[in-house]
């Protein structure tokens, strides 16, 4: 059955702009038009710039790296106590010295790269040389790595100045950002609500303009869910696009990948151009023409076909209103000349979930096993981490192989959809952002959740496909709570997915509805 959707856009905008928290944030408006070099005159104008605009302003000498660092650190000092997005913040004195050195380099003609002088905070799951990396766990609260993760090396080489980390759940487990080391990260649009996760600190730091651009990682929606909850773009690249590690295990870990987040798709794509590409220390990583992601994202979207999976024919419980907000956003796809049709993949959601549980147990238990076997350390691990390890310990090798075979069948089912459709779409979450003190929803629309992550089951189709997935903002409910839509594209067609997201961004302009910041 094919069902095209249509809605008067003015009606949609009335609904999506419902709450007062969507009023202007008080941030300065960029002084530049598209394609011109911005000349910010105040700190508020500096932090209001997109990442690409900021890069251009620094390179052209329209703003100094010291001024940029001052503006961002002042902004963080004012707003981070409310939102708790940035953690392990380095001293202002040291950061200002590094910003001054960046200015000196620029004066000598030594341009480090497009992130020259950028204040940047890395997700607290990725190793940062000389900067505390806790993984959100009390077991690592004093841990300072001696080397960077591969993509972090690339950020530094592109000119970024690391100011600290962004908050994450303990070991990245769960789509809610809280941990016993740094506490709770709160939603940019309503601090009473959760930020999503596990890249919650990254998404909130971005949405509140405490960061120009952000990195994250995604095993179970961790680049998508917090992006949806904070009205920004989060991109999970194709398997291997961004090299992981360096790590001791190089071949089995094929579910969780690092990727970019941005307030614009162009910003996220530009960061991907820095993070991606082959590295021999990660043998499954892909050769990539990074210049493509830093280039023009315009495309002709007339005639695009989008498969809408929705709630998988009712098999996934959703909070009332989630599907409505997503369907209202279909008007923007129609403005692009695209057609949205309901579709149903040839695969059981029950089998997909069992596949996910097996592979998740297998990989998490492998990573945390050495901590688990030490009783003193096990006592300091969150219950969900212990549950994952113990689930993995019960598995047989045959069960893991069978789960991998089931994942392969799911990939084939998705690949068949791509013979008819350009991208596959579904909601980014099954519930709107909920109370920040709630660890995870116990039920959705009267249906009990039997695991700590069952409420985010809707992201597993994208994860298990290994294909590129982007969250695009879908709008807001009547209470002003954000929601997003996942767009999944064919394997290795990352650029196409980003171009479609870019066209959607231009059609919707939803990220222009900024949060009213509290500080």
């Amino acid at each position: 059955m094919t069902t095209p959707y249509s809605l008067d856009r003015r009606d949609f905008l009335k609904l999506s702009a419902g709450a007062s928290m969507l009023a202007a944030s008080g941030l300065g408006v960029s002084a530049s038009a598209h394609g011109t070099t911005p000349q910010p005159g105040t700190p508020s104008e500096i932090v209001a710039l997109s990442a690409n605009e900021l890069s251009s302003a620094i390179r052209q000498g329209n703003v100094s790296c010291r001024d940029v660092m001052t503006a961002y650190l002042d902004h963080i000092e004012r707003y981070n106590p409310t939102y708790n997005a940035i953690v392990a913040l380095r001293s202002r004195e040291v950061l200002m010295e590094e910003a001054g050195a960046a200015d000196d380099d620029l004066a000598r003609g030594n341009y480090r790269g497009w992130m020259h002088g950028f204040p940047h905070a890395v997700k607290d799951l990725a190793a940062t040389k000389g900067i505390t990396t806790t993984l959100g766990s009390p077991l690592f609260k004093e841990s300072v790595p001696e080397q960077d993760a591969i993509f972090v090396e690339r950020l530094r080489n592109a000119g970024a100045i690391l100011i600290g980390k962004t908050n994450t759940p303990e070991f990245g487990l769960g789509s809610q950002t809280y941990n016993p080391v740094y506490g709770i990260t709160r939603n940019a649009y309503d601090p009473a609500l959760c930020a999503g996760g596990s890249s919650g600190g990254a998404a909130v730091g971005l949405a509140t303009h405490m960061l120009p651009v952000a990195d994250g990682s995604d095993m179970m929606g961790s680049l998508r869910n917090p992006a949806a909850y904070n009205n920004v773009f989060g991109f999970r690249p194709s398997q291997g696009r961004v090299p992981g590690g360096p790590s001791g295990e190089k071949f089995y870990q094929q579910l969780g990948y690092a990727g970019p987040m941005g307030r614009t798709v162009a910003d996220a794509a530009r960061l991907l151009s820095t993070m991606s590409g082959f590295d021999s220390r990660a043998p499954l990583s892909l050769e990539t023409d990074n210049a493509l992601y830093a280039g023009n994202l315009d495309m002709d979207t007339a005639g695009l076909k989008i498969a809408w999976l929705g709630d998988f024919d009712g098999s996934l419980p959703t909070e009332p209103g989630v599907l409505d907000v997503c369907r209202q956003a279909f008007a923007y796809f129609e403005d692009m000349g695209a057609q949205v049709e309901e579709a149903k993949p040839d695969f059981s959601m029950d089998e997909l979930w069992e596949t996910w549980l097996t592979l998740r147990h297998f990989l998490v238990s492998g990573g945390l096993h050495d901590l688990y076997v030490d009783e003193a350390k096990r006592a300091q691990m969150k219950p969900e981490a212990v549950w994952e390890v113990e689930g993995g310990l019960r598995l047989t090798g045959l069960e893991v192989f069978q789960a991998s075979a089931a994942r392969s069948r799911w990939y084939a089912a998705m690949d068949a959809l791509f013979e008819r459709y350009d991208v596959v779409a579904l909601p980014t979450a099954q519930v709107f952002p909920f109370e920040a003190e709630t660890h995870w929803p116990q039920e959705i629309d009267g249906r009990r959740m039997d695991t700590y992550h069952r409420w985010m089951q809707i992201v597993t189709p994208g994860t298990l496909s290994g294909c590129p997935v982007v969250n695009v903002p879908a709008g807001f409910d009547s209470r002003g709570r954000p929601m997003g839509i996942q767009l999944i594209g064919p394997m290795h067609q990352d650029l196409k997915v980003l171009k479609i997201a870019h066209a959607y961004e231009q059609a919707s302009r939803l990220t222009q509805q900024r949060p009213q910041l509290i500080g």
Side-chain angles (χ1 to χ4, degrees):
M1 175 180 175
T2 299
T3 308
Y5 290 93
S6 173
L7 183 77
D8 185 284
R9 190 169 53 207
R10 288 170 296 179
D11 292 339
F12 168 61
L13 289 175
K14 282 182 194 173
L15 291 167
S16 68
S20 62
M21 67 183 71
L22 302 179
S25 66
L27 294 170
V29 178
S30 168
S32 68
H34 181 70
T36 65
T37 302
Q39 299 187 30
T42 66
S44 63
E45 289 177 343
I46 290 173
V47 300
L49 296 174
S50 72
N52 276 297
E53 288 173 332
L54 180 63
S55 177
S56 179
I58 290 173
R59 186 169 192 179
Q60 297 301 319
N62 293 331
V63 63
S64 72
C65 298
R66 287 182 60 85
D67 286 344
V68 169
M69 185 62 70
T70 298
Y72 270 94
L73 292 181
D74 287 350
H75 195 70
I76 290 168
E77 182 177 339
R78 179 176 180 183
Y79 293 111
N80 199 52
T82 297
Y83 299 95
N84 193 35
I86 311 296
V87 297
L89 186 66
R90 300 171 66 207
S91 77
R92 179 182 286 256
E93 180 181 6
V94 170
L95 291 172
M96 292 305 298
E97 289 177 358
E98 294 183 9
D103 281 329
D104 292 342
D105 270 359
L106 201 57
R108 291 190 294 265
N110 180 21
Y111 183 62
R112 302 175 185 174
W114 83 277
M115 298 181 78
H116 188 111
F118 268 40
H120 188 86
V122 173
K123 183 177 177 180
D124 200 25
L125 293 184
T128 45
K129 182 179 180 180
I131 302 175
T132 304
T133 301
T134 73
L135 314 182
S137 168
L139 295 171
F140 297 100
K141 64 182 179 181
E142 305 296 337
S143 176
V144 180
E146 296 181 356
Q147 65 177 345
D148 286 326
I150 293 171
F151 82 83
V152 175
E153 290 178 0
R154 295 175 174 181
L155 300 181
R156 290 193 201 259
N157 291 338
I161 299 174
L162 302 192
I163 64 172
K165 308 302 284 284
T166 56
N167 204 22
T168 186
E170 185 176 336
F171 303 122
L173 298 178
S175 291
Q176 219 284 49
T177 299
Y178 67 91
N179 63 64
V181 181
Y182 296 119
I184 300 170
T185 296
R186 297 178 178 275
N187 191 282
Y189 285 79
D190 184 350
L193 302 179
C194 71
S198 62
S199 306
V204 173
L206 193 58
T208 58
H209 289 247
M210 287 189 274
L211 296 170
V213 72
D215 66 82
S217 55
D218 184 313
M219 188 179 193
M220 192 181 182
S222 294
L223 280 160
R224 293 164 277 164
N225 160 259
Y229 278 10
N230 291 280
N231 196 43
V232 297
F233 298 94
F235 182 68
R236 173 188 163 95
S238 289
Q239 179 176 307
R241 181 71 63 204
V242 175
S247 62
E249 197 289 300
K250 304 181 188 300
F251 294 98
Y252 278 114
Q253 176 50 271
Q254 297 182 46
L255 285 182
Y257 322 141
M261 307 177 85
R263 290 188 297 272
T264 71
V265 176
D267 285 354
R270 190 73 179 273
L271 185 59
L272 181 65
S273 75
T274 300
M275 299 174 70
S276 64
F278 178 76
D279 189 290
S280 62
R281 293 169 292 178
L284 300 184
S285 57
L286 301 174
E287 294 284 359
T288 301
D289 183 355
N290 288 348
L292 292 175
Y293 302 112
N296 191 321
L297 296 179
D298 292 340
M299 72 175 292
D300 182 3
T301 54
L304 284 178
K305 296 189 69 176
I306 300 169
W308 173 246
L309 304 189
D311 59 359
F312 275 73
D313 202 25
S315 62
L316 298 179
T318 58
E319 181 179 351
V322 168
L323 293 175
D324 293 334
V325 170
C326 292
R327 287 193 173 104
Q328 288 158 7
F330 291 177
Y332 298 128
F333 291 116
E334 292 182 351
D335 286 346
M336 294 160 50
Q339 182 180 9
V340 181
E341 299 178 355
E342 284 192 347
K344 188 175 180 180
D346 183 20
F347 203 90
S348 161
M349 177 50 69
D350 288 340
E351 184 179 8
L352 195 67
W353 180 248
E354 290 303 317
T355 300
W356 166 256
L357 285 180
T358 298
L359 295 176
R360 169 92 164 192
H361 279 324
F362 170 60
L363 293 172
V364 173
S365 64
L368 298 180
H369 178 266
D370 289 348
L371 300 177
Y372 175 86
V373 296
D374 184 319
E375 291 187 11
K377 292 179 179 178
R378 186 193 315 161
Q380 297 184 65
M381 294 167 63
K382 67 190 290 186
E384 293 86 352
V386 172
W387 176 78
E388 291 280 14
V389 174
E390 293 178 347
L393 293 175
R394 291 191 294 269
L395 292 173
T396 66
L398 178 59
E399 287 172 324
V400 174
F401 179 85
Q402 290 172 335
S404 184
R407 182 187 182 190
S408 301
R409 292 194 299 275
W410 168 245
Y411 173 80
M414 285 289 285
D415 202 41
L417 283 177
F418 292 133
E419 293 178 4
R420 294 183 54 201
Y421 299 100
D422 294 281
V423 289
V424 172
L426 63 168
T428 302
Q430 292 163 243
V431 296
F432 290 104
F434 47 88
E435 288 73 14
E437 287 73 22
T438 299
H439 287 183
W440 48 276
Q442 300 293 310
E443 65 175 41
I444 300 176
D445 199 25
R447 291 167 66 174
R448 184 80 177 169
M449 299 293 100
D450 57 355
T451 74
Y452 78 101
H453 51 8
R454 187 68 176 247
W455 63 278
M456 281 298 297
Q457 186 174 353
I458 204 160
V459 300
T460 59
T463 292
L464 291 173
S465 74
C467 296
V469 193
V470 66
N471 169 77
V472 298
F476 305 81
D477 73 350
S478 61
R479 292 171 51 187
R481 296 178 298 175
M483 182 47 60
I485 292 174
Q486 301 174 77
L487 301 179
I488 309 171
M491 183 66 80
H492 295 173
Q493 293 192 26
D494 303 52
L495 184 61
K496 178 180 179 179
V497 173
L498 288 167
K499 285 185 173 183
I500 293 172
H502 174 71
Y504 175 89
E505 175 189 4
Q506 306 310 305
S508 70
R509 303 288 179 181
L510 285 168
T511 55
Q512 293 185 8
Q513 300 183 47
R514 296 173 174 172
Q516 180 68 51
L517 302 186
I518 299 172

